[in-house]
DNA sequence: AGGGAAGTTTGTTCAAGCGCAAAGTCCGGA
DNA sequence: TCCGGACTTTGCGCTTGAACAAACTTCCCT
């Protein structure tokens, strides 16, 4: 299952990513040589909540979805991780088990290393620790924002915010629209916002009619980000 | 404003707290000598969201409330921090500004150090970093749980969960009840659960009638934790 | 090209819980 | 001891959005 490095990976893959950007070529070489590479399909599970944290990962291509399941069997999408970030770094928070399940939201490529190397990375590569904790900080900030959202905002605002967040993380200009670059269903959006796919569908239809977004099956583009921001702020109830 | 150490603090104050528990007496002495002490009233603001993170803190006594304010001016209680934890450690996540406001939920005592000492603490005191990141990990776990809660549960379940969480963090046996050891209003509970004080009041009245809880003004005791757990799981809708 | 699965739309019904309003109760301070 | 403010309770109407139901569309596989 672990398709290890075909031969040798191009160092430039890592050289621009924050946790590695301050390292010398030689060090990046070491890091790559220790890594396993896997190409994964949309929907592949990378690891499950509660499993022993045996490896940590870097998302080289694609988008990852961090998911939790309630006792009632409902899914909640806690977070999306964009290309170029570390994930599964339970070790950084002193855990020995993964706190959530990770699933590929699109096809993509991941690198991974055994957790036993974590301490080594932290100790040997200057800037690695700092950058890692910065990422973590950003993630905590995002979680906080979501708590506030869920606690105070209406469904319409929450869905608008979810779209904006995805747009900022993975959006790409396409003509005059900004396209969310990985497959996303109404169901997904509902699991990000704590509502039902029905409600999301209704909202999206209305927004499409109003010229704010454009959507095909499993695909969403934002036409009018500013309009969405206004909705997110409850401007036009 | 910074009531510095009256004379010298008793080292045993810190010796049992996780981040310091593995240190030698001499090291704890150093740490205490570098600290400022303040005794704070209920309601005192320790620091505000967005302010430069000039110091980091240890809550020696009392309970702290981490609060965020929405653009609309509504408060959301993101977290309660129990006695004996570090807080305001923006530095640990590579931030140079506090991500939320901290307010004393009861009167209490805090120690603090200038942020410039953070790197020194991490580097000089073995176990300090690990323990800190463990705490952070637990906090992330709690935030995650709240996101799932807010996204999937009904108001009744959320309020029950909030009470249970407070009970576990700060509860003390009093007769056959478990009392939440700091002042808490219906308003507070509503700000923890994303609802209104009215709804919380109704729920509490019902629970009191059912013998699950007992409450005086600004005080809550849990009589039947197991019953609350059932409510939290939606057993009795 | 046909069939089926996955995803989406839309309608209808209905209850949870919010907004608003008002009164009651407890507490500390003058 | 009385007053005023802070906290709590309760009632009522109404909106939001969930639940249920069913049809439709798109995509993929054979």
């Amino acid at each position: 299952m672990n398709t290890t490095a075909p031969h040798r990976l191009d160092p430039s893959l890592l050289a621009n990513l924050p946790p590695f950007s301050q390292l010398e070529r030689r060090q990046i070489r070491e890091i790559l040589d220790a890594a396993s590479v896997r190409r994964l399909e949309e929907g592949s599970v990378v690891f499950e909540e509660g499993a022993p944290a045996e490896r940590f990962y870097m998302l080289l291509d694609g988008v990852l979805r961090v998911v939790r399941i309630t006792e009632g069997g409902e899914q909640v999408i806690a977070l999306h991780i964009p290309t170029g970030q570390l994930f599964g770094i339970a070790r950084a928070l002193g855990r020995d088990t993964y706190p959530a399940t990770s699933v590929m939201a699109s096809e993509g490529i991941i690198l991974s290393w055994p957790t036993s190397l974590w301490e080594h990375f932290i100790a040997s590569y200057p800037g690695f620790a700092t950058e890692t904790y910065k990422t973590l900080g950003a993630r905590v900030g995002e979680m906080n924002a979501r708590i506030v959202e869920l606690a105070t905002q209406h469904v319409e605002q929450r869905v608008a915010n979810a779209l904006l967040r995805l747009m900022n993380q993975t959006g790409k200009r396409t003509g005059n629209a900004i396209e969310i670059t990985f497959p996303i269903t109404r169901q997904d959006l509902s699991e990000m916002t704590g509502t039902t796919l029905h409600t999301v569908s209704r909202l999206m239809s209305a927004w499409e009619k109003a010229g704010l977004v454009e959507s095909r099956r499993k695909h969403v583009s934002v036409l009018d980000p500013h309009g969405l921001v206004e909705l997110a702020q409850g401007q036009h109830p």
Side-chain angles (χ1 to χ4, degrees), chain A:
Chain A
M1 176 125 290
N2 254 342
T3 326
T4 319
H7 286 295
R8 308 200 93 199
L9 292 162
D10 184 345
S12 69
L13 285 174
L14 294 189
N16 300 317
L17 302 177
F20 305 109
S21 55
Q22 300 162 34
L23 302 185
E24 297 164 26
R25 203 117 185 129
R26 190 185 49 74
Q27 298 177 306
I28 293 190
R29 193 71 270 166
E30 285 172 13
I31 291 174
L32 279 175
D33 285 346
S36 310
V37 201
R38 281 164 81 191
R39 163 163 262 300
L40 294 176
E41 303 281 295
E42 178 185 340
S44 315
V45 174
V46 183
F47 52 77
E48 304 246 19
E49 178 171 346
E54 285 162 356
R55 321 204 105 228
F56 63 96
Y57 302 82
M58 158 61 72
L59 186 60
L60 258 198
D61 189 41
V63 175
L64 189 91
R65 179 170 289 160
V66 177
V67 164
R68 309 199 86 209
I69 317 273
T70 66
E71 320 95 47
E74 295 165 286
Q75 273 205 8
V76 177
I77 297 178
L79 205 61
H80 280 273
I81 295 186
T83 306
Q85 287 203 3
L86 291 173
F87 68 98
I89 49 178
R91 198 64 225 212
L93 292 173
R95 302 187 48 118
D96 49 8
T97 176
Y98 297 114
T101 299
S102 285
V103 181
M104 295 304 296
S106 66
E107 58 165 19
I109 302 173
I110 61 175
L111 298 186
S112 71
W113 301 266
T115 300
S116 54
L117 283 183
W118 179 259
E119 259 76 39
H120 173 64
F121 273 40
I122 292 281
S124 315
Y125 303 126
F128 181 81
T130 318
E131 285 301 328
T132 302
Y133 284 115
K134 242 181 224 170
T135 307
L136 225 41
R139 234 173 265 177
V140 169
E142 193 186 322
M143 287 173 58
N144 243 315
R146 290 203 53 207
I147 289 178
V148 172
E149 251 178 64
L150 285 164
T152 62
Q153 300 190 334
H154 289 215
V155 170
E156 179 176 56
Q157 304 177 272
R158 303 206 301 264
V159 177
N161 270 314
L163 279 182
L164 287 169
R165 211 174 302 122
L166 291 177
M167 187 189 89
N168 288 328
Q169 284 181 346
T170 77
K172 268 205 183 120
R173 275 222 96 72
T174 319
N176 58 350
I178 302 172
E179 190 188 345
I180 290 168
T181 57
F182 65 97
I184 182 141
T185 67
R186 320 280 140 145
Q187 174 77 33
D188 293 334
L189 281 167
S190 77
E191 288 174 4
M192 298 174 62
T193 52
T195 182
T196 61
L197 78 163
H198 307 272
T199 302
V200 171
S201 178
R202 280 177 241 269
L203 286 172
M204 294 286 290
S205 298
W207 293 348
E208 189 136 20
K209 221 163 277 173
L212 290 169
V213 302
E214 206 172 48
S215 77
R216 320 187 284 294
R217 169 180 255 239
K218 280 191 158 207
H219 262 265
V220 181
S221 298
V222 177
L223 296 179
D224 178 1
H226 187 261
L228 266 192
V229 169
E230 282 187 347
L231 277 181
Q233 291 170 352
Q235 228 74 326
H236 189 42

